[in-house]
Amino acid sequence: MKYLLETCVDSVQSAIEAEKGGADRVELCSNLVIGGTSPGESLFRQVRESTGLKIRTLLRPRFGDFCYDKYEFQTLRDEVRMFRKLGADGVVIGILNPDGTLNLEQMRALCEEAGDMGITLHRAFDVCRDPYETMEQCVELGIDTILTSGQKSSAWEGRDLIAELVEKSAGRIEILAGAGINAETIEKLIPYTKASAYHMSGKIVKDSRMEFRKEGVPMGIPGFSEFEIWQTSADEIRKAAAVLKNCGKMVR
């Protein structure tokens, strides 16, 4: 069995660390601290120039739910088109209706824009009404991957649904387990779920290089320090990659 390790990154340095650690590809985004939003063209180009990794770009116009107005949808459509022209290997997308079902009309339009790129349905899946119906719709749309925590706060907590999805998918679509993933959880999830693809940030918190620090002036979400930098750790990715490599040897 072939295993896949995807690392979600929001900086060039994190992408470099992911490659050093042995990741197979990156999900490139901005603002990972709020779950990720669409990256810019410059960031994509720099990651492409600085690594040899495959890149799937997360496309999410804002923080919050996955029900978008016509302007946000047009933004997503434009971004799919842009990253296809830039040479992205895939896009990571997801749109829901107010009732929690997959917005098939808008998703179909984005999939058509994606052309021959790979397509992942992101964790909008984890807040959809019916995961089994949504999985079948993804197969029909030609989406090749579903990123999921099993509709729980972590993949380990959602392991039962992940296992069911892997079984019911029967190889028609890849189930990419994400949320709370590290070497230890992968080692437990593989025998339990039979999932072969894993998504992790491998992040560590680094201290800011700022020497002068003006405290008490938040620039964004209150409670988050302005002097902490989240960055992927090559060591964390390396540990996870080693687990997958060993499991691959055992299967053979």
Side-chain angles (χ1 to χ4, degrees), residues 34-82:
I34 55 170
T37 55
S38 302
E41 179 178 341
S42 177
L43 178 58
F44 176 85
R45 289 185 183 279
Q46 289 188 72
V47 170
R48 176 64 85 209
E49 291 168 2
S50 302
T51 76
L53 290 170
K54 292 184 177 180
I55 305 172
R56 291 201 178 192
T57 54
L58 172 71
L59 303 182
R60 185 180 177 215
R62 56 164 169 75
F63 171 77
D65 65 35
F66 303 104
C67 185
Y68 300 121
D69 64 28
K70 63 180 181 180
Y71 306 107
E72 292 166 330
F73 171 66
Q74 188 57 51
T75 296
L76 287 170
R77 198 165 187 171
D78 290 346
E79 288 177 335
V80 172
R81 189 179 301 120
M82 177 181 74

Side-chain angles (χ1 to χ4, degrees), residues 145-205:
T145 304
I146 293 173
L147 171 62
T148 179
S149 62
Q151 297 205 323
K152 299 291 185 181
S153 61
S154 73
W156 179 245
E157 291 178 43
R159 62 192 180 278
D160 289 331
L161 178 56
I162 292 173
E164 289 181 19
L165 292 169
V166 170
E167 181 181 4
K168 291 181 183 297
S169 68
R172 295 173 298 150
I173 191 167
E174 187 162 65
I175 304 302
L176 176 62
I181 297 296
N182 55 35
E184 291 74 21
T185 53
I186 290 174
E187 202 160 18
K188 294 187 295 182
L189 283 167
I190 286 176
Y192 195 99
T193 67
K194 305 298 188 292
S196 60
Y198 294 88
H199 169 99
M200 64 183 289
S201 67
K203 68 178 181 294
I204 56 173
V205 180

